[in-house]
């Protein structure tokens, strides 16, 4: 347990900043100093200290002048995953291909958080183009897990997770195509939410797989996540898949629903446990921690039932057809013509493309681009892409059926806790299966959250994943928040970074 | 050639640039002729993180076209990605409609080649589909010292690709279809139709089969046809080429050929074996384009009178010959001008003659479109009225026309300033005639002796004496009377 400044919640910072206990600039300097001392984690690609201090001073001024009228996140220092375009700052996507790409514009998420007064400390490390589950495929080298530096922080948003776990920022933006928010949150004992598809605009978030990508946040608590999610959600005319839906006031719904009149806070909520999430292949300690967490939800008043997701075994194969297919298309723009890496020597136009892309992309990205081009090729399209789309529908229908019996689903976020650096790098399929419980949620477009649920015998964090109905982030956040009021897993910090 | 033995089967694919203020998937400006890359927004450059959003105006124009050809409008159509690498294709794929286009089957009527001015002889050409897609940028291979320049202004410009059925049977028929299509898209305001600027581009599929056969032969696709004349010439050339191959017992290869206007020939570009695998799949960034009844009905209500209907109305209401009616009706500017002139009282046939003669010549001479004509329909009517009331001669009318064209003033102003008003007072003309006859007794005697040629001499003298203002018809009449009376 720690009450160090850098492990305080956003709510606590916001109150202290408004009360004048410390200034935004002081808080920002505190995080910047920690960033400097924590380079060995390799969680960040670019530190924007000057810009951060300028934003902090602006926030101080706004708080002095407006007090309560200042943005909800005034002076809260964040880091942003390096696939969110940030004006005037390197936006590398963890790739050599974009090692020289200074974005001329801000992503929707960056705009919204900036408008709410947040301070941007740095851009965080990630698997190249978000393709990976360990942050080891980054051109900038692997990030390390603050809980055990010989282990991965998960991925692809591993840099964001490592930075928040190590107390280098109050929270972080992240993105999730198949588990890239939830899995690193689980590996680093954090709260990470992937909103429903369409809830948060993808404008300015460099695309990996457009029908699966969704921006979100990694934070210290459900309460912090709720605050951030409220700011980044909402319709954006620049993204045709963005939803014209009203954004619920998440922070004020954390205690809503049941509870009233002295009944337990989660009464009226039914939590389904998919039996496929507790089967073979799940580490004993992980299954036990998830089971205990479910019991905790029950103690809080929730009803527990078992449900089935019969097609969940198909999620990983289905995902690894559709995501590479879309990636092979989305990454076609990286051709060295207008921006990004370009081959220095080439014989002709084809040679130029081949060299530029061979040099610019790393091995995992190339593997997925090849798979993607293959499954879209005439003659294979029906057997792979169309078939995978049919499976996707079946997977979504599984969830719909399960939600006839319950309000949210719960299970382990990942089958195992954080693995060692290098352990799965040579075995892509093993790496892919690290996302076995998260892939299906993206395929169905549903919201999912991972929250700290204990530690295994090696002292590594275990994550509990909650999955909600489409657009029902509020129920996830409420269950997570009530769980966190009753437990202290989320308040623990890694020893070396306490 | 063995025209009787082989039948040509021709289908055209026409790319029409839609006249929208913005690009098809971005609000950025879309003007032709701007400095290179000044109309290239973040999406046109395919910056990472940018996303396409449908411009409903492009959809509205597509629907407008679809309704005008009596096509089925698909309430739900899809966008797909077509992949290939080329430096002027910024995303590495083109967003197009593949399996589910916005406009389904329709048709266009053209005049049959042997149209004999009786208004019949219309041939119906099937249109398979029309779909929305984005244009690519331009590669500039000259002026860069061995390197290529890329101009992305055009990238993302909305196109409607209109695919005809293989219903065309001759180069002339293909050109007639293309002209009718061109007139229609301009008429509808769907496109400016400017062929020099690439707003209207055509590819042709050509195959031959034995006369009477129902199966199609192997086709060649000819690209790069950017004028009506080229389309006709290229297809004629291609028919000749394929006839020669088939006559000598060979087989036509399925391939794409490029037309070279300078050499007037087609040459191979790529064979079927080299055809790209475009790896089409539905674009996950763009939801299906869903058009509700209200949207379609609003577009329908907004349709102007179509050229075919207008042509028939001109024939019926103005008794114009079919050919003149077609010439006027198929160009919206001409049709509107014609209606302005007739509404201002001009005789329809005379107005049509003047428009297709004097006016067209002046427009061509000065390189103007009829909408830019310095002399409007009402002014033309005014000139024709002065001819009708005999104030000026037909010859003077042309002078008046040119003077008004040059901006020298109004019709009557010019007639007065230049003294062009005819002398229509009979007694005045009679005096001049009597004087001229009296002054030339020798010639009068010759005339009376049967030398009719001398009559012209007298006309000339009378006109000269009247300062050219005497009305020629009256002069003739009075001269005859004066000379024949003795």
């Amino acid at each position: 347990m720690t009450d160090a400044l850098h492990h305080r919640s956003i709510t606590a910072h916001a109150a202290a900043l408004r009360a004048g206990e410390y200034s935004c600039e002081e808080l920002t300097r505190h995080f910047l100093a920690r960033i400097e001392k924590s380079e060995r984690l390799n969680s960040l690609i670019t530190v924007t200290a000057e810009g951060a201090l300028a934003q902090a001073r602006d926030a101080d001024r706004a708080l002095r002048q407006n007090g309560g009228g200042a943005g909800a996140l005034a002076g809260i220092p964040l880091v942003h995953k390096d696939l969110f375009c940030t004006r005037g700052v390197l936006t590398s996507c963890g790739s050599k291909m974009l090692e020289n790409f200074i974005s001329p514009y801000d992503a929707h998420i960056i705009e919204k958080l900036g408008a709410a007064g947040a301070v941007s400390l740095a851009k965080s490390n990630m698997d190249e183009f978000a393709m990976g589950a360990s942050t080891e495929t980054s051109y900038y080298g692997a990030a390390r897990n603050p809980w055990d530096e010989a282990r991965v922080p998960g991925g692809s948003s591993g840099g964001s997770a490592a930075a928040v776990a190590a107390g280098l920022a109050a929270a972080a933006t992240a993105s999730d195509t198949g588990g890239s928010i939830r899995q690193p949150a689980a590996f680093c004992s954090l709260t990470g939410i992937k909103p429903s598809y369409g809830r948060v605009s993808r404008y300015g978030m460099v695309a990996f797989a457009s029908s699966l990508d969704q921006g979100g946040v990694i934070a210290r608590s459900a309460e912090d996540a709720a605050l951030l999610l409220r700011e980044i959600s909402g319709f954006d005319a620049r993204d045709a898949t963005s939803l014209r839906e009203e954004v619920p006031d998440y922070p004020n719904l954390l205690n809503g629903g049941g509870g009233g009149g002295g009944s337990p806070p989660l009464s009226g909520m039914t939590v389904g446990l998919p039996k496929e999430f507790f089967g073979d292949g799940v580490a004993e300690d992980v299954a036990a921690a998830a089971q205990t967490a479910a019991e905790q939800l029950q103690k809080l008043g929730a009803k527990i039932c078992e449900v089935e997701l019969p097609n969940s075994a198909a999620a990983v194969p289905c995902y690894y057809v559709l995501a590479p297919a879309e990636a092979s298309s989305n990454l076609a723009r990286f051709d060295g013509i207008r921006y990004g890496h370009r081959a220095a020597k080439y014989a002709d136009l084809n040679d130029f493309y081949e060299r530029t892309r061979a040099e610019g992309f790393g091995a995992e990205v190339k593997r997925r681009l090849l798979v993607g081009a293959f499954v879209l090729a005439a003659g294979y399209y029906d057997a792979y892409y169309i078939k995978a789309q049919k499976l996707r529908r079946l997977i979504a229908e599984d969830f719909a059926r399960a939600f006839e019996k319950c309000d949210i689903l719960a299970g382990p976020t990942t089958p195992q806790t954080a693995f060692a650096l290098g352990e799965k790098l040579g075995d892509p399929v093993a790496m892919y299966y690290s996302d076995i419980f998260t892939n299906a949620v993206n395929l169905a477009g549903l919201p999912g959250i991972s929250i700290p649920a204990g530690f295994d015998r090696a002292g590594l964090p275990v994550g509990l994943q909650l999955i909600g109905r489409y657009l029902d982030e509020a129920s996830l956040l409420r269950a997570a928040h009530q769980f966190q009021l009753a437990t202290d897993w989320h308040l623990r910090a890694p020893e070396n970074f306490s | 050639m063995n025209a009787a033995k082989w039948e040509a089967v021709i289908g055209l694919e026409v790319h029409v640039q839609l006249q929208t203020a913005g690009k098809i998937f971005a609000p950025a400006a879309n003007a032709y002729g701007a400095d290179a890359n000044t109309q290239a927004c973040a999406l046109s450059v395919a910056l990472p993180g940018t996303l396409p959003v449908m411009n409903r105006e492009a959809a509205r124009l597509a629907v407008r076209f679809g309704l005008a050809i009596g096509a089925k409008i698909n309430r739900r159509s899809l966008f797909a990605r077509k992949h290939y690498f080329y430096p002027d294709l910024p995303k590495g794929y083109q967003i197009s409609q593949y399996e589910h286009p916005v406009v389904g089957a329709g048709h266009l009527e053209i005049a049959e080649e042997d149209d004999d001015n009786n208004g019949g002889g219309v041939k119906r050409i099937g249109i398979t589909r029309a779909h929305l897609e984005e244009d690519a940028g331009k590669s500039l291979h000259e002026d860069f010292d061995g390197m290529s320049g890329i101009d992305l202004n055009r990238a993302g410009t909305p196109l409607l690709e209109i695919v005809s059925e293989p219903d065309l049977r001759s180069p002339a028929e293909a050109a007639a279809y293309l002209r009718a299509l061109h007139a229609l898209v301009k008429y509808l305001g769907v496109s400016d139709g400017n062929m020099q600027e690439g707003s209207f581009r055509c590819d042709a599929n050509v195959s031959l089969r034995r006369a009477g056969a129902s199966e199609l032969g192997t086709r060649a696709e000819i690209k790069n046809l950017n004028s009506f004349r080229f389309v006709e010439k290229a297809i004629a050339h291609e028919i000749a080429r394929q006839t020669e191959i088939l006559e000598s017992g060979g087989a036509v290869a399925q391939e794409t050929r490029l037309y070279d206007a300078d050499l007037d020939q087609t040459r191979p570009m790529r064979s079927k074996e080299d055809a790209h695998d475009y790896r089409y799949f539905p674009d996950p960034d763009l939801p299906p384009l869903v058009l509700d009844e209200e949207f379609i009905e609003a577009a329908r209500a907004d349709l102007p009178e179509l050229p075919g209907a207008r042509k028939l109305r001109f024939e019926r209401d103005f008794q114009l010959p079919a050919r003149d009616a077609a010439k006027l009706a198929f160009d919206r500017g001409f049709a509107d001008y014609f209606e302005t002139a007739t509404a201002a009282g001009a005789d329809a046939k005379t107005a049509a003659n003047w428009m297709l003669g004097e006016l067209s010549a002046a427009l061509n001479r000065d390189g103007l479109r009829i909408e830019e004509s310095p002399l409007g329909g009402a002014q033309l009517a005014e000139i024709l009225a002065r001819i009708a009331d005999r104030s000026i001669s037909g010859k003077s009318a042309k002078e008046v026309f040119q003077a008004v064209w040059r901006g020298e003033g109004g019709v009557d102003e010019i007639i007065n300033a230049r003294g062009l008003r005819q002398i229509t007072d009979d007694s005045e003309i009679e005096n001049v005639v009597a004087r001229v006859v009296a002054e030339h007794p020798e010639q009068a005697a010759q005339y009376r002796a049967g030398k009719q040629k001398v009559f012209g001499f007298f006309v000339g003298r009378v006109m000269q004496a009247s300062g050219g203002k005497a009305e020629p018809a009256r002069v003739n009449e009075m001269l005859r009377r004066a000379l024949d009376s003795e």
Side-chain angles (χ1 to χ4, degrees), chain B residues 273-293:
Chain B
E273 288 70 37
D274 306 330
H276 285 291
D277 177 359
Y278 291 118
R279 305 198 314 278
Y280 281 102
F281 81 110
D283 192 323
D285 285 331
L286 287 163
L289 173 62
V290 176
L291 306 172
D292 56 24
E293 203 61 46

Side-chain angles (χ1 to χ4, degrees), chain B residues 18 54-77 97 101-104 130-132 160 184 188 190 289-303 306:
Chain B
L18 298 177
M54 183 70 207
N55 176 348
R56 299 281 286 186
E57 178 61 7
R60 194 185 69 80
L61 295 179
V63 168
R64 190 172 165 84
F65 172 77
L67 293 171
I69 58 160
K72 176 175 183 285
I73 305 299
N74 290 319
R75 300 279 296 268
R76 187 174 180 278
S77 61
Q97 295 194 306
V102 60
V103 175
H131 66 255
L132 285 162
L160 190 65
L184 180 64
L188 295 169
V190 159
L289 173 62
V290 176
L291 306 172
D292 56 24
E293 203 61 46
E294 205 182 331
F295 185 88
I296 296 169
E297 286 316 309
R300 196 190 305 277
D302 195 34
L303 279 182
L306 297 172

Side-chain angles (χ1 to χ4, degrees), chain A residues 72-373:
Chain A
L73 300 174
I76 304 299
L78 306 176
V79 298
H80 298 303
K81 187 173 181 177
D82 210 20
L83 53 49
F84 290 109
C85 284
T86 38
R87 187 152 43 89
V89 177
L90 173 69
T91 299
S92 75
C93 283
S95 180
K96 181 179 181 184
M97 186 58 91
L98 290 179
E99 68 175 326
N100 59 2
F101 178 66
I102 308 295
S103 174
Y105 77 103
D106 277 335
H108 173 85
I109 282 189
I110 303 294
E111 267 178 15
K112 296 281 262 185
L113 292 172
V119 170
S120 172
L121 295 169
K123 301 294 291 292
S124 65
N125 201 357
M126 57 183 283
D127 280 299
E128 184 178 6
F129 285 106
M131 297 180 196
S134 67
T135 316
E136 290 170 293
T137 70
S138 171
Y139 170 62
Y140 296 89
R144 291 167 182 272
N145 191 323
W147 292 90
D148 178 347
E149 293 175 39
R151 290 176 185 273
V152 303
S156 66
S157 311
S160 285
V164 177
L168 310 187
T173 56
S175 69
D176 190 316
T177 304
S180 283
I181 287 176
R182 292 157 290 159
Q183 185 252 25
F187 281 12
C188 294
S189 201
L190 296 166
T191 300
I193 185 161
K194 178 206 97 74
S196 307
Y197 185 79
R199 178 64 96 184
V200 177
S201 167
R202 294 182 293 117
Y203 180 77
M205 184 173 85
V206 181
F208 159 15
S210 312
S211 76
L212 301 160
D213 293 345
Q214 186 61 203
V217 293
I218 293 178
R220 270 168 227 297
S221 65
E223 193 181 15
D224 284 3
L227 263 172
L228 294 163
L229 187 61
R230 182 177 62 188
E231 298 305 321
I232 63 175
S233 297
F235 176 69
D236 175 16
R238 299 169 298 184
D239 173 2
T241 62
S242 157
L243 295 168
R244 286 181 193 271
E245 291 284 336
E246 207 177 309
V247 179
D249 185 5
Y250 299 119
N252 285 311
L253 295 171
L254 295 171
N255 297 302
S263 60
L266 294 183
S267 60
M269 182 182 274
T270 304
V271 179
L273 306 182
K275 74 176 192 346
E276 293 81 3
F277 286 15
F278 291 88
D280 294 344
V282 180
E284 201 183 314
D285 293 0
V286 172
Q291 199 60 53
T292 308
E295 283 156 23
Q296 181 64 53
L297 292 172
Q298 195 168 20
K299 276 185 214 156
L300 291 166
K303 234 176 77 189
I304 302 291
C305 68
E306 190 177 89
V307 295
E308 284 182 26
L309 298 172
N311 292 294
S312 53
V316 171
C318 173
Y319 178 88
Y320 280 97
V321 169
L322 297 180
E326 293 185 19
S328 74
S329 176
N330 283 330
L331 272 61
R333 68 185 58 198
F334 303 113
D335 58 4
I337 300 283
R338 298 165 311 286
Y339 50 77
H341 176 75
R342 96 170 6 193
K345 283 184 191 158
Y346 47 87
D348 55 25
L349 184 60
N350 267 335
D351 192 45
F352 171 80
Y353 286 138
E354 281 170 20
R355 283 175 193 264
T356 295
R357 289 168 66 84
E359 294 165 8
F361 291 136
E364 181 59 26
V365 170
K366 283 179 197 160
R367 181 173 9 250
R368 298 200 196 187
L369 297 188
L370 289 172
V371 169

Side-chain angles (χ1 to χ4, degrees), chain B residues 201-217:
Chain B
R201 313 195 287 264
C202 177
D203 301 334
N205 286 300
V206 179
S207 65
L208 297 188
R209 64 181 171 195
R210 282 188 186 279
S214 57
E215 262 173 55
L216 293 172

Side-chain angles (χ1 to χ4, degrees), chain B residues 264-280:
Chain B
D264 186 26
Q265 63 178 29
T266 63
R267 58 185 146 83
M269 194 169 130
R270 58 172 179 261
S271 74
K272 188 188 176 188
E273 288 70 37
D274 306 330
H276 285 291
D277 177 359
Y278 291 118
R279 305 198 314 278
Y280 281 102

